[in-house]
């Protein structure tokens, strides 16, 4: 048996022991070490995705851990290997897959949403989803590889180039990661964020952050860019006001990259799109090259993942961690520590999952 956190209904999680079966052909059994809670997990927790999520559901897709067992026909992996998971399973037959866009497969299985995720002490996944981690990378920091891969993909979709002026609207975990990745490409970056705590955190990482309640953001951008406007804006806030800001700061032929998931339609100033020949780009998920670049950025410190981790709590404290994240501004990233095996009958303190 293995301990798992499950979503059962709106605002309800339970912690229970579930059976642990050997990995099948092409599968690998993992011992998750750390699992991050992301905005999508919160949407599920609120009941907003009940039409998609089948309960009881084990959540979690931002993770790091170690291989415990490999199934038949699996090569290149062995127990003890440090890994993260690119949590996508596609069908390879739909039009999107045939066009080479497997990460947005029209029948995509997003592991941790559509199938069981990583908030458990034993997790079996397809070997094809594994991404190797360098042995020198602490596993708590490695749990931020997945959201960093999101940022890498977003910056790539927006086509950010060195020397460009970039505005990131929303300074939560993904917004800050986008800002860090964009800066690593050579862009000049500004972050727009109402939370004082998040602005201070961004500034501690060398970013410039503005409070939209205290300053006129479009006017600051106009001065910053010599009246040209920003080359790229990322909308990461999920708020109607964030959409307005992201559009207003763009200069001629600027690119707006939509990152946040907006639960309802938003009004957009289409006249500004016409007048300045703006471009709107959607960005969803990532591919393997994004993941591999994210591993490198976290490993070399370009992304100081440790500064984004607000706290680490035991797996059994997941309900309280979800509640804490609803407070928003004073918390960035909470990790669930899955390595405490005191409630797990099939592993010991020196199992691969306990190594960090």
């Amino acid at each position: 048996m293995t301990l798992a956190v499950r979503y059962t209904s709106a605002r309800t999680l339970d912690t229970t022991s579930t059976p642990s079966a050997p990995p099948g052909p092409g599968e690998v059994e993992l011992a998750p070490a750390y699992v991050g809670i992301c905005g999508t997990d919160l949407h599920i927790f609120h009941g907003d995705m009940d039409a998609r999520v089948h309960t009881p559901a084990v959540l979690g897709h931002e993770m790091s851990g170690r291989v415990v067992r490999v199934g038949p026909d699996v090569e290149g992996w062995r127990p003890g290997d440090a890994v993260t998971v690119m949590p996508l399973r596609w069908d390879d037959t739909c039009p999107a897959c045939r066009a080479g866009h497997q990460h947005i497969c029209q029948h995509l299985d997003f592991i941790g949403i559509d199938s069981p995720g990583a908030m458990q002490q034993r997790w079996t996944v397809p070997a094809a989803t594994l991404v190797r981690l360098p042995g020198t990378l602490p596993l708590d920091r490695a749990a931020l590889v997945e959201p960093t891969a999101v940022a890498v993909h977003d910056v790539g979709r927006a086509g950010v180039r060195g020397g460009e002026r970039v505005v990131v609207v929303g300074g939560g975990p993904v917004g800050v990661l986008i800002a860090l990745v964009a800066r690593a490409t050579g862009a000049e970056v500004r972050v727009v964020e109402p939370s004082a705590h998040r602005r201070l955190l961004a500034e501690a990482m060398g970013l410039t952050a503005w409070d939209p309640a205290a300053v006129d953001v479009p006017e600051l951008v106009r001065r910053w860019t010599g009246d040209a406007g920003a080359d790229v804006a990322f909308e990461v806030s999920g708020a109607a006001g964030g959409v307005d800001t992201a559009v207003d700061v763009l200069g001629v032929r600027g690119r707006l990259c939509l990152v946040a998931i907006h639960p309802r339609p938003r009004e957009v100033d289409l006249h500004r799109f016409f007048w300045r020949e703006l471009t709107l780009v959607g960005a969803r998920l990532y591919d393997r090259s994004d993941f591999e670049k994210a591993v490198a950025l976290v490993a070399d410190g370009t992304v100081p993942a440790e500064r984004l981790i607000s706290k680490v709590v035991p797996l059994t404290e997941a309900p309280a961690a979800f509640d804490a994240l609803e407070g928003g501004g004073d918390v960035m990233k909470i990790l669930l520590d899955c390595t405490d095996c005191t409630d797990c009958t099939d592993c010991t303190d020196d199992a691969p999952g306990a190594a960090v």
Side-chain angles (χ1 to χ4, degrees):
M1 304 293 287
T2 183
L3 197 66
V5 173
R6 305 184 307 173
Y7 167 76
T8 57
S9 61
R11 306 191 65 81
T12 305
L13 301 173
D14 69 19
T15 305
T16 188
S17 294
T18 60
S20 179
E27 294 182 333
V28 173
E29 183 182 20
L30 305 178
Y34 297 96
V35 181
I37 303 171
C38 82
T40 301
D41 297 321
L42 282 176
H43 284 306
I44 296 172
F45 178 63
H46 294 155
D48 297 337
M49 298 176 65
D50 282 357
R52 176 176 174 183
V53 175
H54 300 288
T55 58
V58 180
L59 307 184
H61 56 271
E62 301 180 359
M63 63 80 62
S64 62
R66 295 187 183 275
V67 174
V68 175
R69 291 186 284 184
V70 299
D73 305 323
V74 172
E75 297 180 355
W77 300 102
R78 63 181 183 178
D81 285 345
V83 298
T84 185
V85 168
M86 187 176 76
L88 309 180
R89 185 188 287 119
W90 49 80
D91 65 11
D92 251 343
T93 62
C94 73
C97 286
R98 293 200 305 271
H101 308 307
Q102 288 90 342
H103 70 290
I104 47 175
C105 170
Q106 291 166 225
H107 309 108
L108 186 70
D109 172 6
F110 192 110
I111 304 172
I113 300 176
D114 304 307
S115 56
M119 291 184 187
Q120 53 185 319
Q121 291 177 321
R122 291 292 183 270
W123 188 34
T124 298
V125 297
T129 65
L130 300 186
V131 178
R132 193 176 301 277
L133 298 173
T136 56
L137 178 60
L139 291 184
D140 56 349
R141 299 179 190 183
L144 272 76
V145 164
E146 192 273 351
T148 302
V150 170
V152 170
H153 186 76
D154 297 342
V155 170
R157 281 286 291 153
V160 175
R161 298 182 293 271
E164 290 193 312
R165 308 289 180 89
V166 172
V167 177
V168 179
V169 181
V174 172
V176 169
L177 288 168
I178 288 171
L180 292 169
V181 174
R183 184 176 68 180
T185 68
E188 297 182 48
V189 184
R190 300 292 184 267
V191 177
V192 179
E193 170 55 47
S195 162
H197 175 81
R198 289 180 168 181
R199 289 198 308 275
L200 285 172
L201 182 60
E203 289 165 356
M205 289 183 278
L207 298 166
T208 298
W210 294 329
D211 179 1
V215 299
D216 183 336
V217 173
E219 175 61 18
L220 283 180
V221 171
R222 188 187 68 78
R223 296 177 191 171
W224 172 44
T225 62
D227 205 29
D231 300 292
V232 181
F234 292 90
E235 202 312 276
V236 201
S237 72
V243 174
D244 292 339
T245 298
V247 174
D248 288 346
V249 299
L250 286 171
V252 170
R253 292 207 167 180
R255 289 105 66 196
L256 171 59
C257 185
L258 181 61
V259 178
I261 300 174
H262 288 258
R264 59 186 63 85
R266 303 293 192 192
E267 290 189 3
V268 179
D269 185 355
L270 292 180
H271 182 267
R272 195 170 186 89
F273 270 78
F274 157 76
W275 199 252
R276 294 201 166 187
E277 292 196 350
L278 304 182
T279 298
L280 173 62
V281 177
R284 178 187 171 199
L285 299 175
Y286 31 63
D287 58 27
R288 181 163 287 272
S289 65
D290 297 322
F291 243 84
E292 291 169 348
K293 183 173 181 180
V295 170
L297 291 172
V298 174
D300 70 12
T302 299
V303 170
E306 68 281 2
R307 295 194 177 188
L308 294 171
I309 300 171
S310 301
K311 72 172 69 170
V312 181
V313 302
L315 186 64
T316 52
E317 294 183 17
F322 273 74
D323 289 338
L325 280 167
E326 290 192 289
D330 291 340
V331 180
M332 286 292 272
K333 181 64 65 176
I334 297 180
L335 302 184
L336 302 179
D337 183 350
C338 303
T339 64
D340 180 1
C341 293
T342 55
D343 295 314
C344 181
T345 59
D346 71 342
C347 56
T348 61
D349 288 341
D350 60 354
V356 178

